[in-house]
Amino acid sequence: MDLTIKDVLQLFKEQAMLLSAGSAGMNNPVKSVNIMDAPDIGDWAKAGDLILTTAYTIKDDINLQEQLIRALHARGCAGLGIKTKRFLQEIPSTIQTLANELGFPLLELPLSLSFAEIINPIICSIASRQSYLLQRSNEIHKTLTDVAINGGGLNAIVTNLGKLTQCPAGCFDINGQLINHWLPDNLPGYDSNTIHALEHLLLTPEIPNNILQKKLSRTKNPYTHTITIEGASYQSISCAIMSSNEFFGHITIIQPDNNFTDIKLVALEHACTVAALDFLKQKAIAENRKLHSRDMLEYILFGNPKEQNTADIITNSKLAQAKRYKCLVIETETTATEVNWPILSAQLCKISQQIIAETFPLSLISERAGKIIALIAAMCNFNTEQDLYNKLHQALDKSFENLTVSIGIGTQESDIMSARRSFHVALTSLNIGRATKGAGHIVQPYEIACYHILSDPEATVVLSKICQPIIAKLEQLDKNTESEFLKTLERYLESDKNLTETAKELYIHRNTLSNRLDRIVDLTGLDLENRELLFCLRLALRQRKILPMVHT
């Protein structure tokens, strides 16, 4: 959109204004025009200035001429116009050579034109372009602001940005994940293969989004880079979505050529401003929902239901409309050394909310005592929730490096006042599941029901007296001989005495397993055909897994 040296030459093509040297700078933007009347102009010239001179003050000093060229180039000036046939008959070859080396345009001004006759058309052209830019900027701002006011959201913002610029556009969140994108149906002068190539560049950028976002959040300026594919150049420009130094993500548009105009940059910056407002709105909604979920869960799971106020709040809530309730308790751990747990916890809560609310919109999710608690509310029986648990587990597991996610599932309840029972079962499932299976599993109530009974030492005194001598003897033999008799017996019983399955789980040959079992019989006198005794042993070995948790 800026006026360039090339445009200036076009303005005066009838008056024979010529480019003497520095053709590499033909696209230098011309922001203003100034007249040189002293050789030290390099000290106060501005970037984008086109300097005009008769060269009177430097006509006899080649060193001053070269110093002037270097100084103006260093200041970022657009170029230097010299009026010849007066004090200099022609532009010296030494500074022409220097200008070519620097890519700094030298213009030969016609003697027939006064400086005013040169300056006025250039200033008028600059003003005209700036006026157009301002008008278009206002139109763009109004269009995008209307989108935000009417609740169009990020999809509408990106779509309108793409249509205003006629460039592929994409919006990415703080994690670099694509939120949405827009692609034109066609671009004048470009075939469908080119459009698909542009879409590919947008969705799989050469610079990874996490690296790009670090650059954007650090500099807070648009980031531009040129990509070449099969000989064609494409320009990608990205702008941060920020508000009060809070970074929400970025928007990228891709220009099919290097002719990236100011008005497109204005549109991109306006879109990022409006997108920041939308992110702030979504943040406020999420925060409000988070507080509501926290307060409601406190009433439902931890409040005193006998208090009239608590009972009224629970029964009058939207959650009471549901027919079935089930609690999840989620616990995470990581081997990473530097973890901001408050931020990570908020992120995990957000992921859980998004996934669960897709299927069960009435559900509540909150964080308490380092665990995420979800009260799932459904309008009918739970039938396909296992897919939800798996999806939730996978999403949380991938959200942070080296993160281990454990989920305890509660029982299904038909009364909201009984939801706390589901919560306590979910918590028990989580704790016993971690003790028996280890971290990183989804544990259902039926998987831990037996262990829950065994966790009462007083109720299992007889069981311990019957089985402990056998277990203790095998445990001591394993310790003295570095054998695996106890593990072998445990897997054999858990596999319902299936030799093939047990051998597979222990990674040994079936004959080796048979020999070990014979050895166990010889050492303990155990009767492997006594089903009742084997059942007791199976229970005792399960109890042994949870003894540390019981003692704790």
Side-chain angles (χ1 to χ4, degrees):
M1 189 62 194
D2 281 326
L3 188 74
T4 64
I5 293 294
K6 184 177 180 180
D7 296 325
V8 171
L9 291 171
Q10 189 67 20
L11 280 175
F12 298 97
K13 63 180 181 180
E14 301 295 332
Q15 287 81 15
M17 183 183 290
L18 304 174
L19 179 70
S20 177
S23 58
M26 286 281 279
N27 289 320
N28 287 359
V30 178
K31 305 286 187 182
S32 61
V33 189
N34 218 324
I35 298 174
M36 170 185 161
D37 59 1
D40 61 347
I41 192 172
D43 295 335
W44 45 267
K46 299 181 182 67
D49 277 355
L50 173 59
I51 306 298
L52 308 182
T53 182
T54 60
Y56 175 74
T57 58
I58 58 172
K59 61 184 177 63
D60 299 321
D61 193 332
I62 192 63
N63 291 327
L64 282 178
Q65 295 171 12
E66 292 182 355
Q67 288 175 17
L68 176 65
I69 299 297
R70 294 184 187 279
L72 296 180
H73 177 261
R75 298 287 289 190
C77 292
L80 174 66
I82 301 176
K83 186 176 288 192
T84 56
K85 307 294 189 295
R86 191 170 182 194
F87 301 110
L88 285 177
Q89 289 303 308
E90 59 184 19
I91 297 177
S93 60
T94 51
I95 62 173
Q96 285 182 329
T97 301
L98 178 60
N100 283 327
E101 290 175 1
L102 298 175
F104 182 72
L106 283 182
L107 307 182
E108 186 173 350
L109 307 179
L111 186 62
S112 59
L113 293 178
S114 67
F115 282 154
E117 291 174 314
I118 296 173
I119 292 173
N120 287 339
I122 296 176
I123 294 297
C124 286
S125 182
I126 293 173
S128 175
R129 289 166 184 259
Q130 289 177 342
S131 175
Y132 171 75
L133 182 63
L134 181 61
Q135 180 185 349
R136 285 290 293 143
S137 175
N138 289 334
E139 292 172 358
I140 290 168
H141 183 73
K142 184 178 183 305
T143 299
L144 294 174
T145 303
D146 286 346
V147 169
I149 292 174
N150 294 325
L154 292 173
N155 286 340
I157 292 170
V158 172
T159 298
N160 277 274
L161 172 64
K163 290 179 178 178
L164 287 167
T165 59
Q166 279 301 293
C167 293
C171 181
F172 301 83
D173 66 15
I174 194 170
N175 300 311
Q177 299 297 316
L178 180 71
I179 298 175
N180 63 307
H181 74 292
W182 181 86
L183 196 69
D185 294 330
N186 60 74
L187 285 173
Y190 297 94
D191 56 24
S192 59
N193 292 332
T194 301
I195 295 176
H196 288 310
L198 293 175
E199 182 178 29
H200 179 73
L201 287 175
L202 185 67
L203 302 182
T204 55
E206 286 191 346
I207 300 177
N209 279 323
N210 59 334
I211 296 175
L212 175 60
Q213 293 201 345
K214 285 181 181 178
K215 293 178 181 290
L216 290 172
S217 60
R218 186 169 57 248
T219 64
K220 301 179 183 177
N221 292 320
Y223 180 79
T224 305
H225 70 283
T226 301
I227 307 161
T228 302
I229 297 181
E230 297 181 355
S233 293
Y234 306 96
Q235 195 170 32
S236 170
I237 183 164
S238 303
C239 193
I241 303 172
M242 297 185 71
S243 175
S244 300
N245 292 324
E246 185 175 4
F247 188 83
F248 297 109
H250 70 278
I251 296 178
T252 295
I253 59 177
I254 298 181
Q255 172 72 21
D257 54 51
N258 286 323
N259 186 26
F260 201 93
T261 59
D262 284 350
I263 199 62
K264 292 182 180 180
L265 179 58
V266 168
L268 176 59
E269 290 176 338
H270 279 325
C272 287
T273 299
V274 176
L277 295 176
D278 191 77
F279 271 105
L280 286 172
K281 181 181 75 174
Q282 296 303 323
K283 180 183 176 183
I285 293 172
E287 187 64 27
N288 185 60
R289 185 185 294 118
K290 179 180 176 182
L291 293 174
H292 171 73
S293 295
R294 184 198 65 187
D295 293 343
M296 285 304 301
L297 283 175
E298 285 291 326
Y299 282 118
I300 296 169
L301 303 182
F302 309 106
N304 184 355
K306 294 181 180 180
E307 291 182 1
Q308 188 62 40
N309 182 51
T310 300
D312 289 344
I313 290 174
I314 294 174
T315 54
N316 292 328
S317 68
K318 287 185 178 180
L319 205 67
Q321 300 172 9
K323 304 300 182 184
R324 297 290 183 269
Y325 305 90
K326 186 179 287 191
C327 262
L328 311 183
V329 179
I330 304 167
E331 190 169 55
T332 59
E333 58 186 71
T334 178
T335 56
T337 54
E338 296 182 4
V339 180
N340 189 323
W341 280 108
I343 293 178
L344 177 60
S345 177
Q347 182 180 344
L348 296 178
C349 273
K350 182 179 179 181
I351 294 171
S352 302
Q353 175 71 44
Q354 290 173 341
I355 292 175
I356 294 174
E358 284 179 4
T359 310
F360 304 104
L362 290 176
S363 303
L364 300 176
I365 293 91
S366 185
E367 187 270 340
R368 194 177 197 268
K371 296 178 177 65
I372 296 172
I373 301 171
L375 176 56
I376 301 178
M379 300 305 293
C380 56
N381 285 331
F382 294 100
N383 295 317
T384 60
E385 76 275 16
Q386 187 59 46
D387 292 338
L388 172 68
Y389 304 152
N390 293 332
K391 182 180 179 181
L392 179 62
H393 189 272
Q394 291 172 8
L396 294 174
D397 198 49
K398 294 178 181 178
S399 64
F400 189 79
E401 188 176 1
N402 300 322
L403 190 71
T404 302
V405 179
S406 304
I407 303 178
I409 311 296
T411 50
Q412 176 176 296
E413 304 293 341
S414 57
D415 178 13
I416 190 171
M417 302 303 287
S418 302
R420 65 178 59 202
R421 180 166 55 205
S422 180
F423 165 71
H424 289 297
V425 173
L427 193 59
T428 303
S429 297
L430 176 70
N431 292 333
I432 295 180
R434 285 171 60 86
T436 57
K437 292 184 171 185
H441 296 278
I442 301 171
V443 185
Q444 294 279 2
Y446 62 79
E447 297 180 82
I448 58 91
C450 175
Y451 291 99
H452 186 51
I453 297 171
L454 297 171
S455 64
D456 183 358
E458 293 183 5
T460 56
V461 171
V462 176
L463 181 70
S464 298
K465 286 193 175 186
I466 294 171
C467 301
Q468 188 56 33
I470 298 173
I471 293 173
K473 190 165 189 176
L474 292 176
E475 197 169 30
Q476 188 62 42
L477 282 168
D478 286 344
K479 184 177 179 181
N480 294 338
T481 62
E482 296 184 357
S483 54
E484 292 187 330
F485 290 127
L486 192 61
K487 181 180 179 181
T488 300
L489 179 60
E490 180 185 6
R491 295 318 312 153
Y492 177 65
L493 296 177
E494 290 293 341
S495 300
D496 296 324
K497 299 174 62 178
N498 186 309
L499 291 174
T500 302
E501 185 179 333
T502 304
K504 184 178 180 181
E505 288 194 24
L506 294 172
Y507 299 101
I508 59 175
H509 195 274
R510 180 175 168 144
N511 292 339
T512 304
L513 174 61
S514 297
N515 291 334
R516 277 193 197 172
L517 293 173
D518 290 341
R519 180 73 172 142
I520 290 171
V521 170
D522 293 340
L523 291 169
T524 63
L526 178 63
D527 182 3
L528 295 180
E529 299 304 320
N530 188 332
R531 289 187 295 179
E532 293 298 331
L533 178 58
L534 293 184
F535 178 68
C536 288
L537 266 174
R538 186 171 182 177
L539 292 179
L541 288 169
R542 287 190 172 190
Q543 184 187 41
R544 184 171 172 269
K545 287 183 178 181
I546 62 171
L547 282 177
M549 186 189 75
V550 172
H551 293 323
T552 302

